Amino acid sequence: MKPFPLLACALICASPAEAAHWNVDYAKSSLGFTVNWAKEPFSAAFKSWKADIDFDAADLAHARADVTIDPASEKSDEPDFDEGLRGALGFDVKKYPAARFTAAHFTQKSGDHYMADGTITIRGIERPITLPFTLAIKGDEAHMTGKAVVMRTDFGVGSGLWAKPDPVAHEVTVTIDLVAHKAP
């Protein structure tokens, strides 16, 4: 047998490389946002979200993240604002019961600083997003923190009285503080 068919068979039969899978510790993790509302910071967190993460710093080509968020789970210290945010002028959770972030392109900037290029979907509208984050891995535990700014109006969040940047700013800072354990 000639070497070429053996090499071709080896390439075809080999399983693709996979990055390590990580299980999020939701009790130690948070996902939320901050926006200036009446010139004061307003912060809220999503209490229900799921993340499917494969990541290996030595194999970023196979890294990926898929995060699904339940916008109806948004909670802050202002229940009246929460009700409005879940309504038709905000996330419109009856019509759009999920938001999503996906990323399949990761780069290491330096040391423990990375960038995830992906897509965020809110109210059925997709936009590209870059999420800068820091990552510390000790053994089988990872701690990741990141922030990204999105324009709420790009997703139709805040129409009517909320369409202008006053009283609610257009820029929203999304924050994530995630603890995960490497799957066995």
Side-chain angles (χ1 to χ4, degrees), residues 100-155:
R100 190 171 179 200
F101 167 74
T102 58
H105 184 261
F106 292 79
T107 53
Q108 184 175 19
K109 297 317 246 176
S110 66
D112 63 353
H113 296 274
Y114 296 85
M115 301 285 268
D117 293 315
T119 302
I120 188 167
T121 306
I122 301 171
R123 291 178 54 116
I125 301 169
E126 290 184 2
R127 296 282 188 255
I129 188 170
T130 297
L131 173 66
F133 65 95
T134 59
L135 177 67
I137 299 175
K138 293 181 184 170
D140 289 343
E141 183 173 281
H143 183 214
M144 175 263 199
T145 58
K147 290 183 181 183
V149 175
V150 297
M151 300 296 286
R152 65 177 175 81
T153 52
D154 286 350
F155 301 96

Side-chain angles (χ1 to χ4, degrees), residues 33 35-44 71 74-91 157 162 167-168:
F33 64 91
V35 62
N36 280 334
W37 197 315
K39 299 187 169 87
E40 295 290 328
F42 170 81
S43 295
E74 176 272 332
K75 297 271 191 246
S76 75
D77 291 335
E78 301 285 342
D80 291 340
F81 290 177
D82 295 340
E83 188 174 322
L85 280 168
R86 291 186 211 111
L89 296 180
F91 294 120
V157 175
W162 294 354
V168 184

